[in-house]
Amino acid sequence: MYGWTGRMLRVDLTAGTATAEELCPHDLHVFVGARGLGSKLLYDAGAYDVDPFAPENPLIFATGPLTGTYAPSAGRYNVLCRSPLTGAIAASNSGGYWAPELKFAGFDLIYVTGKAAAPVYLWVHDGKAEIRPADGLWGKTVSETEYAVRARTHPEAKVACIGPAGERLVRIACVVNDRSRAAGRSGVGAVMGSKNLKAIAVRGTGPVRVADKEAFKAARKRAMEKILTHPVTSAGLPAYGTAVLVNVINAHGAFPTRNFQTGVFPEADRISGETLAKEYLVRKKACFACSMACGRPTAIPSGPYRGAGEGPEYEAAWALGADCGVSDLAAVTHANWQCNEMGIDPISYGATLACAMELYQRGYLSKEQAGRELRWGDGHLLVEGVRLTAFREGIGNLLAEGSYRMASEFGHPELAMTAKKQEYPAYEPRAVQGIGLSYATSNRGGCHVRGYTIAPEVLGIPEKLDPLVADNKAFWVKTFQDATALVDSSGLCLFVTFAIGVPEIADLLAAATGEAYTAESGLLAGERVWNLERMFNLKAGFTRADDTLAPRLLSEPMPEGPARGQVSRIDLMLPEYYRLRGWDEEGRPTEATLARLGLRW
């Protein structure tokens, strides 16, 4: 088999077994891998009917057929399960070097069920696997865990693990690999903690074979020529990382500030990628086979936040910065390091803290209930809150539940800036209409990397659209969602799509696997994955009513900036979106759509 290894590792932590199994070649072809194949396995297992913290909830670590090849930025994998934050399907994506190492060890994915009687870690090496006691590991931070597991396995092993947050079932906990690359969203780290699984270490020396070496070499060359000459992938991301967007998005009035009360943060430049590069950047850092090197190792030489770590990236700089009213870049940077160490999603953490600050601002959450004052712009609270959340101490026990559950606890769920109970990322739907539809219809809840319409609406890629106009945005959202599902399933990083599109990705897939992927069949595969995720959510109880945004974004006009007076026009865009998807008026795929995609209930 080419591209894929054709094998998965099935781990039952209750029984204490780990066995290799062959994967279905048909499923590999039509669902491609990673997010697509993992979604198929979750659906077949009936995970939509399972409590997210039940031992029966599968936790899947899945690579794509391009993972571990020298296709551009081919270092990605997905962690999938039913989310404890949303109850919807979770597919959380990460880069680094862990995923290629799993392929080198001889597996496309690891499928974990059950719950160990005591904490364990999994050691996978060259086709073999062992479940080992995690004595002395429980309670350690991410970096402490990685160093300890390497010492017990192999000095070149790659480690994916949880921190204290995942151990305590914090619903916004993530899985972190290579100490700073995270499968960050939807609480997948809490599911790992519920299984008493602290870490998975992998080490492999085998190859990832491609079907047609010359065709693969030519396809890679064509893709790299575009990546190395596009201004975003060759200049912007390498120079300033993703935080290069801070000033750009703020200038459009689309930089959510103080829990989306406005879209303009006057001190945005103080937390921008340009300022980070000037003040604290140590060097650039790349994931496997990546020329962009958008990773940001940073160091603060002095002061209360002195230390070293990695980041923040754009989304974290916003969530920990503008959304909480914090303009102290040192505090934002240190809080991001703490999120990495504790294993917490910085987007959901910052957004949940911002929600708590607004509850406090409006008198719905008292100082006595919070145990302290919750004032906008408090950098010390921002940093200390990460540890409190990870250990569920004080106000941290509220933050650990995510913003929707916390705001509901105080009778004001409307102040949770979420879709399907997952916190929005760093773009204002009143200022960028398409991204609002993308949030509302995202299968995993509020998310920017399921249909990144910021590319055409703000950056003009592949063409410039008016961000304030709702017309035709349903078409763009659907197209980007389907294309992204293909990218996530292939094992590539989404950032390559600033420079290349579905035709180039299909060429790489065809040459690597030997299967007849084309631009048309590749996009169809992405659409198939999207509809399968939708079917999972419908069976989990989600309805049309969940395809919406927070009331503020629908009814409160933007108070200032270029989008002043605007609200999100989901009401106009959603019916057109359903029609383009081939769904009925309630958002259910029709029989004809399922038949066209080869799916069935």
Side-chain angles (χ1 to χ4, degrees):
M1 184 165 281
Y2 299 100
W4 306 286
T5 70
R7 298 202 321 156
M8 66 176 247
L9 181 67
R10 183 182 293 275
V11 178
D12 184 336
L13 292 172
T14 302
T17 58
T19 55
E21 296 181 6
E22 300 297 317
L23 287 162
C24 170
H26 174 74
D27 285 351
L28 288 171
H29 181 203
V30 301
F31 293 100
V32 184
R35 176 178 157 192
L37 182 61
S39 297
K40 175 66 164 54
L41 294 172
L42 277 181
Y43 188 83
D44 288 350
Y48 41 76
D49 278 335
V50 174
D51 184 289
F53 289 141
E56 294 79 15
N57 189 17
L59 182 66
I60 301 171
F61 298 75
T63 67
L66 295 180
T67 306
T69 70
Y70 277 90
S73 306
R76 311 295 293 193
Y77 72 107
N78 274 245
V79 182
L80 302 102
C81 60
R82 188 179 186 195
S83 165
L85 181 67
T86 67
I89 192 168
S92 194
N93 194 314
S94 182
Y97 291 79
W98 188 90
E101 200 74 18
L102 179 62
K103 291 284 290 283
F104 302 154
F107 297 102
D108 289 315
L109 65 86
I110 301 174
Y111 185 105
V112 183
T113 57
K115 178 179 181 180
V120 296
Y121 73 94
L122 181 63
W123 169 221
V124 182
H125 50 106
D126 280 329
K128 301 175 183 177
E130 304 169 50
I131 301 171
R132 293 180 170 183
D135 297 345
L137 297 179
W138 208 252
K140 288 188 179 297
T141 66
V142 164
S143 61
E144 290 170 345
T145 301
E146 175 160 334
Y147 290 129
V149 170
R150 276 186 178 174
R152 297 180 188 189
T153 55
H154 191 283
E156 296 184 39
K158 305 298 184 290
V159 179
C161 68
I162 57 173
E167 296 171 3
R168 288 161 178 79
L169 309 189
V170 171
R171 292 181 191 271
I172 56 175
C174 53
V175 175
V176 184
N177 58 278
D178 303 292
R179 295 198 304 280
S180 58
R181 311 311 300 173
R185 308 234 61 198
S186 306
V188 296
V191 173
M192 191 166 172
S194 76
K195 297 182 179 306
N196 271 337
L197 179 60
K198 179 65 175 177
I200 302 177
V202 295
R203 169 64 178 162
T205 57
V208 178
R209 300 188 303 161
V210 298
D212 187 332
K213 292 181 179 178
E214 291 305 314
F216 187 78
K217 183 179 178 181
R220 180 184 183 277
K221 182 180 179 182
R222 291 193 296 273
M224 287 302 302
E225 286 174 349
K226 293 187 176 181
I227 291 170
L228 292 175
T229 55
H230 193 281
V232 173
T233 51
S234 70
L237 287 173
Y240 300 117
T242 56
V244 70
L245 285 171
V246 167
N247 287 321
V248 175
I249 301 301
N250 193 55
H252 279 75
F255 200 50
T257 298
R258 298 190 300 280
N259 202 35
F260 288 72
Q261 294 188 67
T262 181
V264 179
F265 188 48
E267 297 173 293
D269 187 56
R270 295 183 61 184
I271 58 170
S272 68
E274 292 88 335
T275 302
L276 185 73
K278 179 182 177 183
E279 300 290 339
Y280 303 130
L281 180 66
V282 176
R283 60 183 172 84
K284 299 182 294 184
K285 181 180 177 182
C287 295
F288 177 86
C290 182
S291 62
M292 293 177 278
C294 68
R296 305 284 99 176
T298 44
I300 300 174
S302 61
Y305 306 120
R306 180 176 180 271
E310 187 164 339
E313 299 181 357
Y314 170 70
E315 305 293 337
W318 159 77
L320 304 171
D323 206 31
C324 295
V326 176
S327 60
D328 182 346
L329 182 58
V332 170
T333 301
H334 195 92
N336 189 72
W337 298 343
Q338 288 300 302
C339 285
N340 289 342
E341 288 294 339
M342 297 293 150
I344 290 179
D345 170 13
I347 298 176
S348 280
Y349 165 70
T352 303
L353 180 59
C355 180
M357 288 174 164
E358 184 168 0
L359 288 168
Y360 182 82
Q361 169 196 329
R362 299 187 183 281
Y364 303 143
L365 170 61
S366 69
K367 179 180 178 181
E368 290 70 29
Q369 290 169 313
R372 61 197 303 163
E373 292 186 320
L374 302 177
R375 297 196 180 279
W376 298 111
D378 187 341
H380 294 292
L381 167 63
L382 177 75
V383 172
E384 176 65 6
V386 179
R387 189 192 65 78
L388 295 175
T389 302
F391 288 92
R392 287 184 172 272
E393 296 177 0
I395 183 68
N397 197 41
L398 291 171
L399 301 176
E401 292 296 297
S403 58
Y404 185 86
R405 287 176 176 81
M406 179 189 66
S408 298
E409 177 76 17
F410 295 96
H412 291 279
E414 76 280 4
L415 294 185
M417 296 298 114
T418 64
K420 300 181 180 69
K421 299 189 178 86
Q422 178 160 280
E423 290 74 18
Y424 306 136
Y427 311 92
E428 241 286 0
R430 290 174 291 189
V432 190
Q433 293 291 328
I435 202 69
L437 179 63
S438 186
Y439 290 172
T441 57
S442 168
N443 288 324
R444 71 170 185 177
C447 175
H448 59 298
V449 288
R450 283 296 182 269
Y452 191 67
T453 62
I454 297 302
E457 294 187 285
V458 175
L459 304 178
I461 301 171
E463 62 182 86
K464 187 68 175 73
L465 305 178
D466 186 341
L468 300 179
V469 171
D471 294 348
N472 206 35
K473 293 296 173 63
F475 164 79
W476 284 92
V477 169
K478 176 186 180 298
T479 302
F480 270 64
Q481 288 175 339
D482 292 346
T484 300
L486 174 66
V487 173
D488 289 346
S489 300
S490 73
L492 295 182
C493 175
L494 184 60
F495 290 169
V496 300
T497 60
F498 285 119
I500 66 174
V502 171
E504 288 85 359
I505 294 168
D507 286 347
L508 287 163
L509 284 170
T513 66
E515 300 284 348
Y517 286 109
T518 63
E520 290 75 20
S521 69
L523 202 56
L524 188 68
E527 184 180 5
R528 183 179 299 114
V529 172
W530 189 267
N531 278 268
L532 182 65
E533 293 173 335
R534 179 74 175 187
M535 291 162 62
F536 182 105
N537 285 351
L538 291 171
K539 284 182 174 288
F542 287 83
T543 69
R544 175 191 175 112
D546 296 296
D547 292 338
T548 190
L549 298 173
R552 164 171 295 158
L553 307 178
L554 303 176
S555 60
E556 295 180 20
M558 181 73 85
E560 61 181 326
R564 182 177 180 179
Q566 297 288 325
V567 296
S568 173
R569 301 311 309 270
I570 291 293
D571 57 327
L572 296 179
M573 296 183 285
L574 193 61
E576 174 70 1
Y577 174 83
Y578 282 1
R579 187 187 68 77
L580 290 171
R581 281 244 167 257
W583 296 353
D584 65 21
E585 293 180 353
E586 294 303 312
R588 296 173 299 217
T590 64
E591 290 296 330
T593 297
L594 295 178
R596 179 172 59 81
L597 297 172
L599 299 172
R600 60 183 180 180
W601 287 99

